[in-house]
Amino acid sequence: MSSKVNHIYQRLGIDSLESDTFFDTLLRDLSVGYLCSFGNPDCTNPAKAKFAEWMSSSDPDEENSNPIDAAVRSTVYCSAVAEGQSDVWDFLFERYLRGTNGNEKSNILSALGCSSNEETLQRYLALSMDPDSGIRKQDGKSVVSSVANNAQGSAIAFRWLDSNWDAIRSYFDTAVSSPLADMVGVVARSFNTQEELDGLKIFVQSHQNNLGTAQRATELAIETTEANIAWMEDYYNVIVEWLQGKTQS
């Protein structure tokens, strides 16, 4: 699979061309997303180089200063943050604060959760609940989602929810709307182990009188995790053996 995707990527590259067809643009987006997400250096190296070029520009907020193709920015930003140091994260967060384009700000919020540093992810979650951070309250769910979508971040996001539940509910739960149910859902949607299920049940027990609008979401999260565990028990080893057979043949 990787070799087939890499072949497409080698043909199309990371930058758009005037000769691109609609399918070229689509395939570039898919191939860059696939290869960079697996840390393939053919993708991550040029992605980091593009990002470094942007960081070194005299005015990174100037309209034409960003050299990264708009179609692959979310992937490139994520790769740069995942493999970069705190200066990369801080630079991108500053672009979020200074930016005015809604789509670009959304891309940045998602990419900031790609960090592989636990302290950085914890800081990002804390900023989502700080009224002076520059992150809008309605974007708090996007912050939690971006961290939870990180393979290393789902457990961090869950611990943050559990440890700060009263403060989170007080900050985000308003008379107009509440993202709490969505936060619980996105954090727990990939849970598939007994340890994670036990953690969810303890979470419910600890906050059973204060779940509020997230009550039903926690019940669904437990049901989904139980179903995921059953699926893993029935099919995980079967699929692994099948894939190993395919790669060895």
Side-chain angles (χ1 to χ4, degrees):
M1 179 67 176
S2 294
S3 62
K4 295 182 184 298
V5 176
N6 194 53
H7 177 74
I8 295 172
Y9 172 77
Q10 293 297 336
R11 179 174 67 85
L12 296 174
I14 202 168
D15 294 315
S16 62
L17 303 171
E18 290 186 5
S19 60
D20 280 345
T21 66
F22 168 79
F23 289 107
D24 287 335
T25 302
L26 178 62
L27 287 172
R28 177 180 296 107
D29 185 24
L30 292 173
S31 62
V32 170
Y34 179 87
L35 293 177
C36 277
S37 68
F38 283 100
N40 187 308
D42 288 341
C43 182
T44 58
N45 287 342
K48 289 186 291 185
K50 287 284 186 181
F51 198 91
E53 181 183 344
W54 186 27
M55 287 183 68
S56 65
S57 62
S58 58
D59 183 5
D61 298 307
E62 196 274 324
E63 184 176 358
N64 297 315
S65 66
N66 190 337
I68 303 166
D69 192 279
V72 296
R73 280 183 183 176
S74 59
T75 298
V76 171
Y77 292 172
C78 183
S79 293
V81 168
E83 301 201 12
Q85 302 300 317
S86 60
D87 60 327
V88 172
W89 197 96
D90 292 340
F91 170 84
L92 195 58
F93 185 61
E94 186 67 20
R95 306 286 72 75
Y96 168 81
L97 295 177
R98 294 175 178 270
T100 57
N101 182 286
N103 288 333
E104 180 72 351
K105 288 171 78 74
S106 179
N107 283 338
I108 292 174
L109 280 178
S110 295
L112 289 171
C114 295
S115 174
S116 56
N117 184 280
E118 181 171 345
E119 289 185 2
T120 298
L121 294 177
Q122 290 173 340
R123 173 191 170 204
Y124 189 28
L125 290 167
L127 286 172
S128 74
M129 219 166 43
D130 180 353
D132 298 320
S133 68
I135 299 176
R136 301 180 306 170
K137 183 177 292 190
Q138 58 264 43
D139 288 332
K141 181 179 71 174
S142 297
V143 172
V144 176
S145 177
S146 70
V147 174
N149 287 335
N150 180 337
Q152 301 178 56
S154 60
I156 295 170
F158 181 67
R159 289 196 300 269
W160 176 77
L161 280 179
D162 188 23
S163 300
N164 301 280
W165 182 254
D166 290 343
I168 292 169
R169 186 181 177 197
S170 175
Y171 184 72
F172 289 108
D173 210 356
T174 68
V176 178
S177 63
S178 173
L180 298 183
D182 290 336
M183 287 181 177
V184 171
V186 73
V187 167
R189 67 185 173 191
S190 63
F191 284 3
N192 58 16
T193 69
Q194 187 62 47
E195 181 181 0
E196 290 167 330
L197 177 60
D198 293 341
L200 271 174
K201 290 180 176 179
I202 293 172
F203 172 80
V204 172
Q205 292 172 358
S206 300
H207 307 288
Q208 58 185 337
N209 297 321
N210 198 28
L211 289 173
T213 55
Q215 176 71 49
R216 180 55 182 154
T218 58
E219 295 170 357
L220 288 173
I222 289 174
E223 293 173 9
T224 300
T225 302
E226 289 174 338
N228 289 344
I229 291 172
W231 188 94
M232 293 287 288
E233 291 175 347
D234 290 341
Y235 301 110
Y236 178 78
N237 289 332
V238 174
I239 292 175
V240 169
E241 290 174 4
W242 181 84
L243 288 172
Q244 289 174 340
K246 288 294 183 181
T247 56
Q248 293 170 2
S249 60

